Amino acid sequence: MNISSVRARTAFTLVELLVVIAIIGILVGLLLPAVQAAREAARRMSCQNNLHQIGVAAHNYHAAFSRFPSGWIASNALDEPGWGWAKALLPFMEQDNVVRLIDDRLPIELPQHEAARLFSVASFICPSDTGPNLFEIGEGDGHDHLLGNDDDEHGPHNVDDGLPTLFTIAKGNYSGVFGSFDIHDNPYRGDGIFFGNSRMRIADIRDGTSNTLMVGERSSRLGGTIWHGVIHEANEAEARIIGVADHGPNDPIGHFEDFSSYHRGVTGFVMGDGSVRHLADNIDIVVFKAMATRQGGEVISAQ
């Protein structure tokens, strides 16, 4: 045998290397969407758990006080002190450390409540709503309905953009259900479960607790929702903590106070009985509005 003609291969040829790279690229392209879908499924499950905790806390509050918490507490024309339904649930969600930061006889915006304003409660934040947990809340007294979608010349309208700001505050992603009509028509007379100084009992939900929406998701797409309550000087003050079924979930040209999420095709809600349900973006708007009222007399299909 001619030994000099035998050579050991020590590396890939260029063609082989390119083939390997192409195969790896194809595999990554196939696996990446699956990984992203798995991550979103985990985030949605975590969000569902948050909603479940809220439902359990609301019913524990009802067991303790024979009613659900008020949408927010107001003893004067300025909606003050303004602490809302989510703050009222904190003792029932093992959040006593936050409760100790709050004097609920005094307005949210006072300097002594800065620590509470900056406290991010994990159970009030949807993991799919990425971005910082703190934001600058816009000052104003407006309730504009500047609509817009991605194709509109205005674009989506964020209620905190272009305004003087009050202070930094922690966001939340869950809003109490005010009902089926504009909050500003009468913020103290909603036809849902939560409104100003509301004192709703299970017996008041005559459409059935399993058919009635109590709390729903709100993404940060059009501005910052909060868990604390109503801050009179803030733009869209009441809509920061309650929402309406004015448009369907995730309506691309909806209003700030509508319900929305970053979950694909659905938005999560707590029902009046404490159960969690995800409603599709294409839900019939008549059905959606009926589910937002507590005693409209509608008959809602289980489907």
Side-chain angles (χ1 to χ4, degrees), residues 218-262:
R218 170 90 60 77
S219 73
S220 300
R221 184 173 69 95
L222 297 180
T225 301
I226 59 178
W227 61 262
H228 313 73
V230 174
I231 300 170
H232 180 72
E233 293 85 358
N235 195 35
E236 299 280 5
E238 295 92 355
R240 300 285 177 167
I241 62 167
I242 56 176
V244 299
D246 191 18
H247 300 87
N250 286 318
D251 190 307
I253 54 172
H255 299 162
F256 169 66
E257 64 266 31
D258 293 340
F259 294 97
S260 58
S261 81
Y262 284 118

Side-chain angles (χ1 to χ4, degrees), residues 105-117:
R105 299 167 299 179
L106 300 176
I108 300 166
E109 59 266 32
L110 293 185
Q112 53 262 55
H113 285 139
E114 181 180 14
R117 293 197 300 267

Side-chain angles (χ1 to χ4, degrees), residues 1-2 7 13 17 24 30 38 67 74 80-82 85 89 97 108 127 149 154 207 228 247 250 272 276 278 280 298:
M1 177 181 293
N2 186 352
R7 296 180 180 227
T13 66
L17 184 60
I24 292 174
L30 293 173
R67 64 177 180 88
E80 294 172 342
W85 64 269
L89 297 185
N97 54 332
I108 300 166
N149 56 35
H154 298 294
D207 289 343
H228 313 73
H247 300 87
N250 286 318
V276 178
H278 286 88
E298 308 93 348

Side-chain angles (χ1 to χ4, degrees), residues 52-66:
H52 176 69
Q53 289 185 58
I54 290 171
V56 170
H59 276 265
N60 286 338
Y61 184 101
H62 192 288
F65 298 103
S66 300

Side-chain angles (χ1 to χ4, degrees), residues 14 25 66 75 81 83 96 102 126-127 135 150 162 180 184 197-198 204 230 244 256 266-267 285 294:
L14 179 60
S66 300
S75 58
W83 296 99
D96 290 340
I102 296 170
C126 173
F135 70 99
D150 293 336
S180 61
H184 299 81
N197 291 333
S198 57
D204 296 318
V230 174
V244 299
F256 169 66
V266 296
T267 297
I285 188 61
R294 64 182 183 273

Side-chain angles (χ1 to χ4, degrees), residues 20-267:
V20 170
I21 292 174
I23 292 172
I24 292 174
I26 292 171
L27 290 175
V28 170
L30 293 173
L31 290 174
L32 189 58
V35 171
Q36 291 174 332
R39 288 178 175 173
E40 170 53 26
R43 289 191 291 262
R44 176 172 160 177
M45 184 65 68
S46 179
C47 177
Q48 180 173 324
N49 184 59
N50 289 347
L51 291 166
H52 176 69
Q53 289 185 58
I54 290 171
V56 170
H59 276 265
N60 286 338
Y61 184 101
H62 192 288
F65 298 103
S66 300
R67 64 177 180 88
F68 291 117
S70 300
W72 68 93
I73 300 295
S75 58
N76 60 35
L78 299 180
D79 288 323
E80 294 172 342
W83 296 99
W85 64 269
K87 178 270 168 191
L89 297 185
L90 291 175
F92 301 91
M93 302 177 72
E94 299 182 350
Q95 295 290 339
D96 290 340
N97 54 332
V98 192
V99 175
R100 287 192 289 270
L101 300 174
I102 296 170
D103 184 343
D104 56 14
R105 299 167 299 179
L106 300 176
I108 300 166
E109 59 266 32
L110 293 185
Q112 53 262 55
H113 285 139
E114 181 180 14
R117 293 197 300 267
L118 295 174
F119 200 102
S120 294
V121 180
S123 297
F124 292 150
I125 296 176
C126 173
S128 294
D129 196 287
T130 57
N133 290 339
L134 302 177
F135 70 99
E136 296 292 321
I137 192 167
E139 181 181 11
D141 58 359
H143 176 56
D144 55 56
H145 276 164
L146 291 177
L147 303 181
N149 56 35
D150 293 336
D151 299 321
D152 195 311
E153 62 179 353
H154 298 294
H157 176 64
N158 187 305
V159 298
D160 294 308
D161 284 351
L163 294 174
T165 58
L166 292 173
F167 37 66
T168 303
I169 195 166
K171 77 174 183 181
N173 288 122
Y174 306 109
S175 298
V177 177
F178 174 81
S180 61
F181 61 87
D182 196 308
I183 297 169
H184 299 81
D185 288 347
N186 196 336
Y188 290 88
R189 289 292 183 272
D191 56 0
I193 295 177
F194 291 117
F195 47 90
N197 291 333
S198 57
R199 299 175 64 89
M200 292 296 105
R201 303 165 300 158
I202 288 177
D204 296 318
I205 307 175
R206 298 180 184 176
D207 289 343
T209 55
S210 63
N211 296 326
T212 304
L213 305 175
M214 180 163 62
V215 175
E217 285 190 79
R218 170 90 60 77
S219 73
S220 300
R221 184 173 69 95
L222 297 180
T225 301
I226 59 178
W227 61 262
H228 313 73
V230 174
I231 300 170
H232 180 72
E233 293 85 358
N235 195 35
E236 299 280 5
E238 295 92 355
R240 300 285 177 167
I241 62 167
I242 56 176
V244 299
D246 191 18
H247 300 87
N250 286 318
D251 190 307
I253 54 172
H255 299 162
F256 169 66
E257 64 266 31
D258 293 340
F259 294 97
S260 58
S261 81
Y262 284 118
H263 307 306
R264 183 181 295 274
V266 296
T267 297

